[in-house]
Amino acid sequence: MLEKVRYEGAYPTHERAEEAVRLVLSGLGRQLTGDERVDLAARLPLEAARVLAAQVPDAQPLTGWAFVKDLAARSGASLATTRWDTGAVFAAVAAYAGPDLTARILHQLPAGHALLFGRPELTQAA
């Protein structure tokens, strides 16, 4: 997983990719609940699954933009860097999850997460 993230994010070192993975998976672990959380943890490599599962889900999930802002505040990184990290890690997560589980995860999360996963944000007309 780290090599995929390192490639997707064009990180210069293994350590920088690992920082991004830990930050983003911790954040995702605070967002996901139920079967989607369990199913994703089962598909991720063991260490990544541990990072995800070690988090207590928040009572109220964040929108995609609020998710990025929260991670930036926790890490001290810029919003642009955090958005980049999120996209790189979510690309790897989607590869491990597969299209069906990724769709279920996106259905559970508030608006804005599809774009972070590199997918269009589809909304229904009112």
Side-chain angles (χ1 to χ4, degrees):
M1 179 173 193
L2 286 178
E3 286 307 312
K4 179 161 183 49
V5 171
R6 186 172 177 194
Y7 176 79
E8 289 289 332
Y11 297 115
T13 65
H14 179 82
E15 291 77 19
R16 180 63 187 95
E18 186 174 4
E19 288 173 16
V21 168
R22 287 189 178 283
L23 175 70
V24 176
L25 285 182
S26 292
L28 186 59
R30 290 187 295 274
Q31 302 300 302
L32 286 180
T33 60
D35 290 342
E36 289 74 20
R37 179 185 175 99
V38 172
D39 292 348
L40 179 58
R43 293 183 189 189
L44 292 175
L46 183 58
E47 189 58 34
R50 285 182 180 154
V51 172
L52 178 87
Q55 305 305 309
V56 175
D58 292 340
Q60 184 66 33
L62 301 172
T63 64
W65 181 235
F67 178 81
V68 171
K69 290 190 331 187
D70 178 65
L71 294 182
R74 289 173 187 268
S75 68
S78 72
L79 290 172
T81 298
T82 305
R83 170 59 182 92
W84 183 268
D85 291 349
T86 303
V89 174
F90 280 180
V93 167
Y96 279 98
D100 293 338
L101 179 54
T102 299
R104 288 177 31 219
I105 289 169
L106 290 174
H107 183 71
Q108 182 184 113
L109 296 172
H113 282 83
L115 295 173
L116 298 173
F117 274 87
R119 292 183 172 202
E121 187 76 37
L122 302 176
T123 58
Q124 294 181 346

